[in-house]
Structure formats: C-alpha cells, structure tokens
Amino acid sequence: GHELGHRHHHEDSSFPWARAEQLAARVLLCLTCYGHFSVEHNRGHHKRVGTDADPGTARLGEGYWHFAFRAICGEHISAWRLESRRVAERDLLWWHHELIWTSLAQAALALGLYAAWGPRATVLYFGQSLTGHLLFQVVNYIEHYGLERRQGADGTPAEAVAPRHAWDSPARFGNMAFLNLMRHADHHARADKRWPLLDHRPEAPQLPSGYALCALMAFMPPLWRRVMDPRVAAHRASDPGLRGQVFRHTSSKWAVTTKNEKKEL
C-alpha cells in the first residue's frame, strides 16, 4: 500500500498503470482500515516531516505508545482536513471526496464479514486492523525519531527535506524484507524513486540495527531512549547542516545536551 500509493511524477499521465496502482493501494489499505493513508502520507507526511505539524514524526523523549496514539488520531484528522480542503478548493461535489469512499468501503467490508461469518469475523477484522496500525506506527516511530526540520512560527517547513530528516540503515536482509524501506532517507529526499532504486545514504543518521530489532526496542521505551537518544544528540552535534538550529524538543535524561540545545535552555 505504501509503495503503490505513491504518485510518481513521471507516471501521472504517461504510464497507463499509474491509476491502477493507486486503486490497488486503496484496496490494500482498506483491508486494515487504513484507507486514509495515501492522502495523509503523500500530501501531509512527506511535506511536513520533521515539523511539529506532522503527526508521523516522533519527538525526542516521546515513548512509542504515546506516539502511536497521537499519530493514529492525528493522521486520521489530518487526512480528512487535507482531502476536504482539496474538494473545497476545486469546488468539487461530495462524491469526489476520496475518504468518503474509502470509509464506505471499510464499513461495507466489516458488514459483509458480519453477514457472512458473524460478529467474530468483524471483531477479527478490526483486531487485525489495530495490529496493522500499531506495526505501521512502530516503523514510523523508528524512521524519524528525534529528527527535526526548521519550521516557521505557524509550523510550516522552513527548509527542504534532506537525508538528515530520516534514519537510515544499510542492513541487507532487513532491506530485502522491507522492500528497501530502511533506505528511508533516500525515500524522503527523492519520493518519486521506486523502491528497487532507493540508495543507502551514509550522510543520513544511521540506526543501530534493522527495523526488526529496533521495533523490539521501541516497544520498551526506556530501552529505546537509552539506545537512541545519545544517537540523536550526536547527530545534532555533528551534522554541519544543523549548525545554528535551535531544537524544539530536548527533554531526555539519556541525551547529551548539545551547544544548540543549551542556547534554547
């Protein structure tokens, strides 16, 4: 759903399968009650990553479980706002609202399961959807934890997305299993690139391991912060592109306070 849902700039009109991929993405996402994802991810997350306006960016010192609740709620709200704004700005009628149709599809699927196999099937559908939400959000949590992008007073980005705004990992097995998703810095720097073409970015902050082990640590917030907060602090202190930046989130007993953070304090 993530890969198929991306709009590649060279495919919008010239590639006949682009629309089919978008439809396939929506179908797959509806299977886990995540029909809003394509809207929020493409029009929200990729534009606002690293800012306080992005519900999908975990803040330094924020535990996974707190983040997951904030991100799940925030992404739904953001997606509806983005799509409603698109419909209003283009003066479209209600049936052009993408999230109305994905919501109806998800409701129809739940009712169909109930009619065919009873309430247990419906409970199972929502249960596996919640599991999918939590697994997706742990990946989201890992990908941008503690990384900040300069922003204006209103929360809008004040700089372009760069490799330093996403954690990267060169782990071969993990990248095979996750379709190069761990080459996340390149994905954000070049969102139009398909997953087989993504490159490892050594200049980006590096995770201590692949996503599987990082996810296990994330489920235990004290362990995660003990491992990752010093890495965030080291990245903030060593990346030349962060010189002079005042960081908005600095609270962590395990993070080493950098010169930039002392200015804020």
Side-chain angles (χ1 to χ4, degrees), residues 36 39-40 48 55 69-85 99:
H36 66 286
V39 172
E40 160 56 24
R48 303 178 301 203
F69 179 79
R70 179 174 67 82
I72 290 171
C73 296
E75 288 175 357
H76 276 84
I77 294 170
S78 174
W80 277 91
R81 285 176 176 170
L82 288 167
E83 180 64 2
S84 297
R85 185 184 307 152
L99 297 189

Side-chain angles (χ1 to χ4, degrees), residues 36-265:
H36 66 286
F37 175 79
S38 290
V39 172
E40 160 56 24
H41 187 73
N42 293 314
R43 291 187 242 153
H45 176 66
H46 269 269
K47 291 184 177 181
R48 303 178 301 203
V49 63
T51 69
D52 289 345
D54 177 34
T57 296
R59 299 157 185 169
L60 179 65
E62 183 177 25
Y64 164 68
W65 300 104
H66 179 275
F67 165 78
F69 179 79
R70 179 174 67 82
I72 290 171
C73 296
E75 288 175 357
H76 276 84
I77 294 170
S78 174
W80 277 91
R81 285 176 176 170
L82 288 167
E83 180 64 2
S84 297
R85 185 184 307 152
R86 182 190 72 87
V87 171
E89 289 176 350
R90 298 187 181 184
D91 198 24
L92 300 174
L93 296 174
W94 66 268
W95 56 76
H96 292 281
H97 198 296
E98 180 179 322
L99 297 189
I100 290 178
W101 292 108
T102 55
S103 298
L104 289 174
Q106 290 165 178
L109 179 56
L111 290 172
L113 290 170
Y114 180 86
W117 292 288
R120 289 186 178 181
T122 306
V123 171
L124 181 62
Y125 169 60
F126 287 119
Q128 62 90 29
S129 295
L130 177 60
T131 302
H133 278 54
L134 294 175
L135 290 176
F136 172 77
Q137 291 303 340
V138 76
V139 173
N140 233 7
Y141 180 76
I142 292 166
E143 289 170 341
H144 303 288
Y145 176 79
L147 303 179
E148 295 186 12
R149 192 164 150 216
R150 289 179 175 88
Q151 67 178 44
D154 59 351
T156 56
E159 64 173 323
V161 178
R164 64 175 172 272
H165 298 129
W167 290 96
D168 220 41
S169 174
R172 291 185 179 181
F173 178 77
N175 275 304
M176 290 174 61
F178 288 94
L179 303 180
N180 279 344
L181 187 60
M182 295 193 303
R183 296 177 177 177
H184 206 62
D186 196 37
H187 172 63
H188 271 276
R190 289 289 308 277
D192 59 299
K193 289 176 70 173
R194 286 186 173 273
W195 67 267
L197 305 178
L198 293 174
D199 298 310
H200 172 58
R201 292 293 193 100
E203 71 271 28
Q206 302 296 308
L207 289 169
S209 67
Y211 280 1
L213 183 56
C214 282
L216 292 176
M217 290 191 293
F219 290 137
M220 298 177 281
L223 175 60
W224 170 262
R225 291 197 293 267
R226 184 178 293 275
V227 172
M228 288 301 297
D229 287 11
R231 284 179 173 263
V232 174
H235 168 64
R236 290 179 174 184
S238 62
D239 191 324
L242 299 177
R243 288 175 184 168
Q245 180 169 339
V246 177
F247 297 100
R248 299 179 296 278
H249 303 286
T250 61
S251 58
S252 173
K253 65 181 180 180
W254 286 296
V256 178
T257 303
T258 67
K259 292 181 180 179
N260 289 341
E261 291 169 348
K262 287 178 180 177
K263 291 179 182 179
E264 182 180 331
L265 296 173

